[in-house]
Amino acid sequence: MKAIKRLSEEVIEALRAEILEAGGNEIFALGFLNEKGLVDRITVRARGNEAAVLARSEGVEEADVLLHNHPSGFLTPSDNDLIIASRAAENGAGSYIVDNPVGQVYVVAEPVRRKPRKVLDAERICAALEEGGAIARRLPAYESRPSQLNLMRLIIRGFNEDTHIAAEAGTGVGKSFAYLLPAVSWALDNDERIVISTATITLQQQLFEKDIPLVTAALNKKIKAVLIKGRGNYLCRRRLDDALREPSLDEEENEEIDSIARWTETTKTGARSDLPFMPTETSWARICSEADLCMGMRCPERDRCFVMLLRKECADARLLVVNHHLLFADLSARQSGAGYDNTVVLPPYTRVILDEAHTIEGAATSFFSHDFSRLGIYRQMGRLYRKRRMKQMGLLLRLAPLIGGASALSGDVLVDAAAEMIRKIRDYADVLDSAALEFCAAEGAFRLVASKEERIAAVLIPPLLDLRKGISSLAEIIREALENVHPDKADDPTVWEVKGILRRFEAIGTVCTAFVEYQKRTGEVMWLEHHRERNTSGGTSGGNTGENSRRDWVQFFVTPIDVAPSLREALFEPNKTVICVSATLTVADSFAYWSGRSGFGQALLDDAVREPRTGQFPSPFPYARSVLLAVPQDAPLPDEESYRGFVDQAVLHLVKTAGGSALILFTSYDALRSAYAIAAPVLETQGIRCLKQGDDDRSRLLASFLTDETSVLFATDSFWEGVDAPGNTLRLVILCRLPFRAPNDPVFEARCEALEKRGGRAFMELSLPEAVMKFKQGFGRLMRRSSDHGVVAVLDGRVLRKRYGEYFLRSLPETRTTFAEFAAVLGEVDRFLFP
């Protein structure tokens, strides 16, 4: 074929010049098609000899055609040419071979013509949010916000320029519309899938049920969006059938599962959130969908599988609304070898929007951590085998009849051997748990460090080795049984369930190994956490007596010290556009802290064209008029003896002055309980209802707080963010202490040490920035609408008496302030709230 039919005249001349300059040897180039289908632009990537050239992979995914020459003039492709062409074809790229004069071309593989990319028109899209625009007309009392429009322009650049964006958008900017309008427009104009990831189910549901429908209706366009929760949120019909066939020894659990079975006759989604009641964790764990227990296409319920149906829905969806944990599960699998072009947990995508992006380091840390506990081991062993009052139950009894007749391991031998080993593992787990409690009982957590080597080696390592050995022995028994299952029974659901539990035991063994080798694993931290929880078991494992008692237990964690490299490699580098938005991404107007911890700052260092962009977009709310920041000058420092008593009394008097409607945020449960004990009896007599974290689950506690306008909520860690209480429900927020991480937090401690080993300053580069960001989140609980009005009181003397206190004050928007003796502060609060 004549080259002029596939290459523009300019490219033909350019190739001739490049081949001539290479001495007539082979060259390798990337080609790009014009609208007529001709290669009109090339980039030479390598030069070789007269028989071969290196086919470099960098940038290949962006090319339309791979080009190289055969100096011999014979254009028939070699075997290696065909292999390279085949790989390129997987991404839609073609492959051409030319002669040295570039007069002839041999088309090894035709390129797939790409749909011309349609860039977004920023002014047209922004018009929807301006006065009289499509969105504005649909919202009552809408006001155009310059900061929202500027945020949207930055996000549009992220899509048009294939780059990453980090944007701090203050409360009230309207970040959801600012990213949804460009996302919907891009997805429809370019037929691309976009993933929107959030930290909370609440925001997921708001986007899916409210914001996306409003945007698509305003644009008069239809787009398919799918809400996806973690797999464990969906029912597995096969596992439900198993649970019905083999009831628990707990009658209440059986009644709950019977109710769920009746619900499956009407549900369309199988989602836990759609149940008319909240099932217990124990019941739901028996019947929910789990990746390592899924039989896939071998499942007898595959045609009715809720997860399969959801995947089919996702296949042609253009917006996927997920949570961070689910996104990381998908990214991790892709990075581990599943690739970026196939469906893994999610269908393939190249553009991601991360809302609440300040949480991604924490979410990634949680996802990439591995753990086990005595109670978790009990649960897995109970699924394999349990016995009560001479009645035996469990998967092993169902596996035994499936073993082939020629096997030396009969069903009875299997059950007896496994039951004995399960009994031993239970004993090993108990001994290990008791030993671990000795290490973390005092402070609630313990990190394995070299300075405690002697005690760790004497007390903790031996029971860890015993547990690992017991698990290994049980795994050998189970593996032998699985290897001898009759071929006709290989796809029996019981086999798959047992395989899944075997993998979980092997994962526990891996964690045990990490603990044993803790001094060698410099990139991870091995640590223990003390828990107290009611443990109810309806039967026994291995013949032990059942228990229904309140017991302490320990969780064993292996956590990565630095997740930024994983986030950079899995999230930022493979994707064309990643939009990160949050109300809190900066410290002292700098993105450096968040950027370094999340991997954003290192994402595109070698790509000058795709340089990541950042922007700050202040809240349009009238903080200077509507918010009073109150800090008593006589507030003690937290390490002073008088501090606890001061806080207890200050909380009482501030809430009395405000007449309730307060959110009081602490950094420890001890401080919470102390203040509550002083304030609640007095406030209750004045008709002010006092709610305390721990008395109910988070959602019900928040619902009670929101519905009782004068109520007061005493809360800690998780309530510093995610509380949305507009109007008179919240007039007073009290930040009792600056939210510095406890210095003995094992992961935080390890990260500080790692930073200092690199020559950094842990306090200024890690501890302080993290506390400032959380402080901003706590402050942000007060003002949720432009009409809100109230006080934020800070009871920590360090704000005014320590030099670093200015970092906290500078991080806040401009407000009215009162820095005076506490008595004077009370008067100012009264006059501000009730002028």
Side-chain angles (χ1 to χ4, degrees):
M1 181 187 297
K2 291 184 177 180
I4 196 67
K5 292 185 177 182
R6 294 294 178 133
L7 312 175
S8 69
E9 291 182 2
E10 292 81 6
V11 164
I12 290 174
E13 290 300 323
L15 279 171
R16 285 173 181 163
E18 290 286 353
I19 293 169
L20 183 63
E21 188 174 335
N25 291 312
E26 287 197 24
I27 66 169
F28 173 74
L30 306 180
F32 302 88
L33 301 178
N34 62 16
E35 293 180 358
K36 297 179 180 179
L38 294 178
V39 176
D40 72 341
R41 179 169 61 90
I42 60 166
T43 301
V44 175
R45 302 309 302 268
R47 297 165 183 84
N49 55 36
E50 63 180 11
V53 66
L54 180 67
R56 293 180 58 186
S57 60
E58 297 93 333
V60 167
E61 66 277 2
E62 299 295 331
D64 296 309
V65 176
L66 308 188
L67 291 133
H68 74 286
N69 60 305
H70 280 184
S72 66
F74 296 100
L75 304 189
T76 301
S78 67
D79 289 344
N80 282 337
D81 291 339
L82 292 174
I83 291 171
I84 293 169
S86 176
R87 290 174 182 167
E90 292 177 1
N91 291 319
S95 183
Y96 297 173
I97 302 172
V98 298
D99 56 8
N100 276 15
V102 199
Q104 298 292 317
V105 61
Y106 186 95
V107 178
V108 182
E110 295 283 358
V112 176
R113 294 288 298 276
R114 300 178 189 231
K115 183 180 178 181
R117 194 172 84 154
K118 188 173 181 180
V119 299
L120 299 179
D121 184 334
E123 296 312 311
R124 179 183 63 80
I125 295 173
C126 286
L129 287 174
E130 293 176 342
E131 295 288 349
I135 297 290
R137 291 196 303 269
R138 291 176 175 269
L139 296 174
Y142 179 82
E143 295 179 3
S144 181
R145 308 167 194 172
S147 53
Q148 184 183 46
L149 296 174
N150 290 333
L151 169 60
M152 186 153 61
R153 290 188 178 96
L154 179 64
I155 291 171
I156 288 171
R157 289 189 68 178
F159 281 104
N160 286 344
E161 298 173 13
D162 288 347
T163 193
H164 303 329
I165 302 294
E168 183 178 71
T171 306
V173 166
K175 54 185 171 57
S176 298
F177 288 145
Y179 62 67
L180 282 177
L181 277 161
V184 169
S185 300
W186 183 273
L188 291 173
D189 290 349
N190 293 285
D191 193 28
E192 287 189 25
R193 182 180 293 108
I194 297 173
V195 173
I196 303 174
S197 182
T198 77
T200 62
I201 290 177
T202 301
L203 183 52
Q204 264 188 286
Q205 291 174 329
Q206 177 188 315
L207 290 170
F208 182 72
E209 297 169 4
K210 181 182 175 183
D211 294 348
I212 292 173
L214 193 153
V215 167
T216 54
L219 296 177
N220 196 27
K221 294 180 178 179
K222 291 184 178 180
I223 189 169
K224 185 172 182 179
V226 176
L227 173 67
I228 313 172
K229 301 173 185 176
R231 187 173 192 136
N233 287 282
Y234 299 96
L235 177 81
C236 172
R237 291 183 183 275
R238 177 185 63 77
R239 299 190 72 210
L240 174 63
D241 288 343
D242 288 346
L244 292 170
R245 189 167 59 248
E246 187 176 284
S248 167
L249 298 173
D250 184 334
E251 286 304 319
E252 290 185 6
E253 183 178 314
N254 292 334
E255 290 176 9
E256 197 166 72
I257 288 177
D258 287 340
S259 297
I260 294 173
R262 290 191 292 272
W263 167 75
T264 60
E265 297 173 5
T266 57
T267 180
K268 293 181 179 179
T269 66
R272 182 181 186 179
S273 59
D274 291 347
L275 274 164
F277 62 92
M278 183 58 67
T280 63
E281 290 296 330
T282 305
S283 298
W284 188 253
R286 289 187 64 197
I287 59 176
C288 68
S289 178
E290 298 188 55
D292 59 348
L293 302 179
C294 179
M295 295 180 65
M297 296 309 293
R298 297 181 179 88
C299 180
E301 294 285 354
R302 61 185 178 277
D303 293 334
R304 299 197 304 155
C305 173
F306 293 114
V307 172
M308 289 287 190
L309 292 172
L310 183 63
R311 283 190 170 181
K312 289 178 182 178
E313 283 293 299
C314 294
D316 61 345
R318 287 297 167 260
L319 291 183
L320 303 180
V321 184
V322 306
N323 59 50
H324 294 342
H325 193 275
L326 188 66
L327 175 64
F328 293 146
D330 182 78
L331 292 171
S332 177
R334 294 183 187 281
Q335 187 186 20
S336 298
Y340 290 84
D341 300 319
N342 307 306
T343 294
V344 186
V345 178
L346 303 173
Y349 52 88
T350 58
R351 302 187 194 272
V352 181
I353 296 171
L354 289 157
D355 204 338
E356 302 171 308
H358 65 281
T359 65
I360 63 173
E361 184 193 13
T365 297
S366 174
F367 178 80
F368 291 112
S369 293
H370 304 282
D371 68 283
F372 75 86
S373 69
R374 171 176 58 85
L375 299 187
I377 292 173
Y378 284 1
R379 281 193 292 270
Q380 298 307 319
M381 290 192 303
R383 290 175 64 187
L384 286 176
Y385 176 80
R386 56 193 184 276
K387 181 179 180 182
R388 186 179 185 184
R389 299 193 184 114
M390 303 306 294
K391 183 178 181 180
Q392 299 181 98
M393 300 180 72
L395 290 166
L396 292 181
L397 277 85
R398 289 159 49 188
L399 180 66
L402 307 181
I403 296 174
S407 171
L409 182 70
S410 68
D412 290 341
V413 172
L414 162 68
V415 172
D416 291 344
E420 175 61 19
M421 188 50 62
I422 284 172
R423 184 191 62 77
K424 289 182 179 180
I425 291 173
R426 185 183 179 100
D427 291 342
Y428 295 151
D430 287 344
V431 172
L432 175 61
D433 211 50
S434 298
L437 281 168
E438 293 181 21
F439 285 88
C440 58
E443 296 180 330
F446 176 79
R447 174 184 164 217
L448 276 67
V449 290
S451 61
K452 304 286 179 65
E453 177 183 5
E454 187 174 338
R455 187 175 171 222
I456 291 170
V459 179
L460 197 61
I461 298 301
L464 274 165
L465 291 171
D466 286 341
L467 178 62
R468 185 176 69 173
K469 183 178 179 181
I471 287 173
S472 177
S473 297
L474 178 62
E476 287 180 15
I477 294 170
I478 294 174
R479 270 194 292 268
E480 184 180 355
L482 291 171
E483 288 169 2
N484 288 287
V485 166
H486 194 282
D488 293 344
K489 302 295 183 181
D491 289 337
D492 188 283
T494 299
V495 173
W496 285 80
E497 288 278 327
V498 172
K499 285 181 177 178
I501 294 174
L502 176 61
R503 285 190 290 269
R504 293 180 185 188
F505 274 121
E506 290 170 341
I508 293 171
T510 301
V511 174
C512 289
T513 298
F515 270 78
V516 171
E517 299 174 351
Y518 72 97
Q519 295 195 61
K520 299 178 183 178
R521 304 208 176 199
T522 56
E524 297 170 312
V525 53
M526 274 53 74
W527 58 287
L528 313 172
E529 186 173 45
H530 183 182
H531 293 270
R532 179 180 290 274
E533 186 170 307
R534 190 170 185 81
N535 174 30
T536 303
S537 62
T540 67
S541 296
N544 285 28
T545 302
E547 56 185 296
N548 182 13
S549 59
R550 191 176 181 86
R551 288 189 56 183
D552 292 358
W553 53 281
V554 174
Q555 199 159 4
F556 294 70
F557 287 96
V558 178
T559 299
I561 291 176
D562 187 4
V563 296
S566 295
L567 286 170
R568 181 178 68 249
E569 294 166 13
L571 172 63
F572 292 109
E573 289 181 351
N575 287 295
K576 294 178 180 178
T577 301
V578 180
I579 308 292
C580 301
V581 293
S582 171
T584 51
L585 291 182
T586 67
V587 176
D589 296 326
S590 169
F591 285 88
Y593 167 72
W594 173 84
S595 181
R597 303 303 304 173
S598 67
F600 178 88
Q602 302 292 315
L604 300 173
L605 279 181
D606 299 328
D607 194 332
V609 177
R610 296 180 62 210
E611 181 182 359
R613 302 184 184 279
T614 62
Q616 289 178 274
F617 305 90
S619 169
F621 289 169
Y623 286 94
R625 182 180 73 245
S626 301
V627 175
L628 174 68
L629 177 65
V631 185
Q633 290 178 331
D634 52 346
L637 300 180
D639 58 358
E640 294 176 356
E641 190 175 334
S642 59
Y643 176 72
R644 174 67 62 85
F646 174 84
V647 169
D648 292 348
Q649 291 298 321
V651 165
L652 171 60
H653 291 293
L654 282 166
V655 174
K656 283 175 64 178
T657 300
S661 306
L663 173 64
I664 309 163
L665 295 172
F666 301 85
T667 58
S668 76
Y669 282 101
D670 282 346
L672 182 155
R673 284 190 287 266
S674 178
Y676 182 86
I678 296 296
V682 179
L683 297 175
E684 295 280 2
T685 64
Q686 298 185 3
I688 298 174
R689 184 184 179 192
C690 293
L691 305 167
K692 175 164 60 72
Q693 184 177 353
D695 288 348
D696 206 342
D697 71 39
R698 191 179 192 276
S699 59
R700 283 194 290 265
L701 206 59
L702 270 178
S704 299
F705 177 61
L706 294 173
T707 53
D708 188 338
E709 198 170 276
T710 62
S711 64
V712 179
L713 176 56
F714 293 71
T716 63
D717 189 54
S718 64
F719 286 81
W720 282 72
E721 56 184 279
V723 176
D724 194 357
N728 290 330
T729 300
L730 187 57
R731 292 193 298 266
L732 171 66
V733 172
I734 303 177
L735 308 180
C736 295
R737 185 169 178 160
L738 297 180
F740 285 103
R741 187 81 67 93
N744 61 350
D745 177 289
V747 177
F748 182 73
E749 185 180 55
R751 286 174 172 171
C752 287
E753 290 178 7
L755 182 60
E756 289 175 347
K757 283 181 181 178
R758 298 196 298 268
R761 296 178 298 163
F763 181 78
M764 295 302 296
E765 296 177 40
L766 185 59
S767 184
L768 180 62
E770 181 186 73
V772 169
M773 288 184 70
K774 190 160 189 174
F775 181 79
K776 291 168 68 175
Q777 283 287 334
F779 176 90
R781 295 314 94 211
L782 178 69
M783 201 161 187
R784 310 306 296 173
R785 293 177 184 164
S786 60
S787 58
D788 287 348
H789 174 262
V791 174
V792 176
V794 183
L795 304 181
D796 191 328
R798 291 175 294 181
V799 172
L800 301 179
R801 293 163 60 183
K802 295 291 184 180
R803 183 176 297 177
Y804 58 76
E806 65 180 277
Y807 282 91
F808 292 91
L809 298 178
R810 282 171 49 198
S811 71
L812 303 179
E814 183 180 348
T815 67
R816 289 179 58 177
T817 60
T818 176
F819 301 157
E821 300 293 308
F822 182 69
V825 165
L826 273 182
E828 283 295 315
V829 169
D830 184 44
R831 286 186 289 275
F832 184 80
L833 291 177
F834 308 105

